[in-house]
Amino acid sequence: MLLHFKAFLTSSFSQRGILKQMRSVRTLCSHREDSEMKDLVDYIDSLKNYEKYGVPTGAGTDSNDGFDLGRMRRLLDRFGNPHSKFKLKPFILPGLKVILLVILRTEGYSVGCYSSPHIQTIRERILGRSGDPVSAKLLNNLFHRIKQDLDQAIKEENGCISHFEVFTAMAFILFADEKVDIAVIEAGLGGARDATNIISSSGLAAAVITTVGEEHLAALGGSLESIAMAKAGIIKQGCPLVLGGPFLPHIEYIIREKAVNMDSPVVSASDSGNNLAVKSFSILNGKPCQICDIEIQTVKDLKLSCKLHDLKLQMPGAHQLQNAATATCVTLCLRNLGWRISDESIRCGLERTYLLGRSQLLKSEEAKALGLSGATILLDLMKPTPKNLPKH
């Protein structure tokens, strides 16, 4: 997912200015650490970078014009297929990674996470066992360890290996090195031809599709229907599919049809029977929160069941309740696959999740740094509901 920022403030301060100044408040340390891996940054910046220069038309579709997953398979094979060495991988499109990380870590699992893009430093894309962005030292050491093989791979692929492919490979190698119990992988573009989609059905715990909007319209075929087909490319044979939604009926039909063809059971977080409700709003430890209920029904042979009443979610908004419900469905799927995840861990994980920039009340010194002394500022950098989707 390439983030589309939307800011709601008590003044008409520009989004671009907010992002620029907030970054300047917090980036000095990151810049100092990133100088330790200058060789790596220079190296990957010399590769094709579709995030920076734009994605070719149709590149994310399952067509002759699409990205070459064979190239990614050959690259990972060179490094011993590290993506096959950590146990299970929920595969995310997009957005639920932080909630899942907190729930799984609350239960005591070591969790890796790979996502894109980053805001301050490329290290943010890889979260290891510690839960923090990978250290510059660790990333730099890995780069120098594999550089000779990278050079050879790039030569053999006639220079076609991209910035994203190299960094995805590095993430998988790090997760294998750290022997994480589970990894949460976020697709970078669409799904079908994304570099992360080399994960096989035997290595996948669950696929998750949260929304279908108009991001990367040209790269994913030019229509909502083609985007839905591209995103459905992450569905694997026999692996559960969790839908966030809500979706337009014909878009959901496309995804569900692919799931049927792959014998993949489907769980919908937007099912009316799940009984999602925002009950009230409050302030918890100086932060806004909403009091919610989530009830999940049993879905076919997936023995889903969870009653979470009076949840205190620190990220207000109906969309965040939907995210919480989707994360709950994913963790229940994992539990039904044999993973130990208690209702209490789900509750604690949901209530402890908090993201900078998501329904965040800025401190007085942060408001002052933005030139808005004395103002009360609620910052919400979120992906808005596309105009052509049903509101929720």
Side-chain angles (χ1 to χ4, degrees):
M1 175 183 67
L2 296 182
L3 296 179
H4 181 181
F5 292 109
K6 190 172 185 178
F8 299 94
L9 303 175
T10 55
S11 84
S12 57
F13 205 74
S14 75
Q15 297 174 26
R16 191 180 301 273
I18 291 166
L19 289 172
K20 181 178 179 180
Q21 293 201 39
M22 287 198 71
R23 284 170 179 159
S24 69
V25 172
R26 295 188 172 98
T27 55
L28 290 178
C29 182
S30 295
H31 287 165
R32 184 169 60 252
E33 292 175 348
D34 285 356
S35 67
E36 299 176 22
M37 53 180 194
K38 184 178 184 301
D39 291 344
L40 167 61
V41 172
D42 289 345
Y43 187 91
I44 61 175
D45 280 350
S46 70
L47 304 175
K48 290 185 177 180
N49 189 338
Y50 297 109
E51 294 175 28
K52 187 174 182 180
Y53 298 109
V55 183
T57 299
T61 60
D62 193 8
S63 69
N64 292 334
D65 297 323
F67 288 133
D68 181 9
L69 282 183
R71 184 171 62 235
M72 190 65 190
R73 292 189 183 96
R74 291 188 292 273
L75 178 62
L76 288 174
D77 185 62
R78 181 180 293 273
F79 297 110
N81 294 308
H83 58 297
S84 67
K85 296 179 181 177
F86 35 99
K87 293 182 180 178
L88 292 170
K89 297 157 278 287
F91 192 45
I92 309 300
L93 273 171
L96 300 181
K97 52 189 178 292
V98 175
I99 302 176
L100 285 172
L101 288 175
V102 177
I103 291 174
L104 292 168
R105 286 188 174 125
T106 298
E107 188 60 52
Y109 291 111
S110 61
V111 189
C113 179
Y114 180 61
S115 63
S116 60
H118 61 275
I119 296 177
Q120 296 177 10
T121 166
I122 198 168
R123 296 182 295 104
E124 296 168 14
R125 299 186 179 211
I126 304 175
L127 305 182
R129 294 178 68 106
S130 68
D132 296 320
V134 60
S135 71
K137 181 178 180 180
L138 184 61
L139 204 55
N140 189 57
N141 288 344
L142 172 62
F143 168 65
H144 286 291
R145 186 178 105 203
I146 67 173
K147 183 179 181 300
Q148 186 173 350
D149 284 319
L150 284 177
D151 289 340
Q152 185 62 30
I154 291 169
K155 180 179 179 181
E156 292 180 7
E157 299 289 350
N158 297 315
C160 291
I161 292 179
S162 70
H163 173 288
F164 187 76
E165 288 169 329
V166 167
F167 213 70
T168 300
M170 292 182 71
F172 290 167
I173 293 170
L174 281 170
F175 295 155
D177 287 349
E178 292 194 335
K179 296 180 173 62
V180 299
D181 295 319
I182 191 165
V184 178
I185 309 299
E186 181 181 16
L189 177 75
R193 289 299 184 99
D194 188 79
T196 59
N197 200 28
I198 45 76
I199 296 170
S200 66
S201 57
S202 63
L204 184 68
V208 187
I209 300 177
T210 56
T211 61
V212 173
E214 293 184 345
E215 299 91 347
H216 307 295
L217 193 63
L220 296 178
S223 69
L224 281 180
E225 291 78 10
S226 64
I227 291 173
M229 287 187 283
K231 290 194 173 190
I234 70 169
I235 301 172
K236 305 298 181 183
Q237 187 71 36
C239 295
L241 169 66
V242 177
L243 296 179
F247 301 91
L248 292 170
H250 73 289
I251 295 298
E252 184 166 343
Y253 176 81
I254 290 171
I255 298 172
R256 285 182 176 270
E257 186 178 41
K258 176 65 179 289
V260 169
N261 292 336
M262 301 297 286
D263 294 322
S264 297
V266 178
V267 177
S268 175
S270 58
D271 191 319
S272 59
N274 291 345
N275 296 324
L276 311 183
V278 177
K279 299 168 69 175
S280 62
F281 293 87
S282 184
I283 298 294
L284 180 66
N285 298 324
K287 300 174 184 176
C289 74
Q290 59 185 2
I291 313 302
C292 304
D293 288 345
I294 297 177
E295 296 184 12
I296 307 293
Q297 292 184 329
T298 300
V299 181
K300 295 183 179 180
D301 53 351
L302 287 180
K303 299 177 182 179
L304 299 174
S305 61
C306 207
K307 290 188 177 181
L308 302 169
H309 292 158
D310 297 324
L311 278 170
K312 298 178 178 62
L313 300 181
Q314 294 192 61
M315 295 189 291
H319 62 295
Q320 296 295 359
L321 174 58
Q322 187 67 45
N323 281 340
T326 307
T328 299
C329 288
V330 176
T331 52
L332 291 174
C333 282
L334 292 176
R335 185 161 73 185
N336 293 335
L337 290 171
W339 287 74
R340 181 193 71 255
I341 305 173
S342 68
D343 286 354
E344 186 60 27
S345 289
I346 295 174
R347 172 181 286 275
C348 289
L350 292 173
E351 292 188 336
R352 288 169 55 189
T353 301
Y354 173 70
L355 281 172
L356 292 175
R358 297 292 179 93
S359 300
Q360 177 188 352
L361 283 174
L362 297 189
K363 298 177 182 179
S364 58
E365 58 268 26
E366 292 174 319
K368 183 177 181 180
L370 294 172
L372 297 171
S373 297
T376 299
I377 301 176
L378 177 65
L379 184 66
D380 195 12
L381 307 179
M382 57 177 257
K383 181 184 177 184
T385 303
K387 61 183 179 181
N388 53 349
L389 293 185
K391 295 181 179 179
H392 60 287

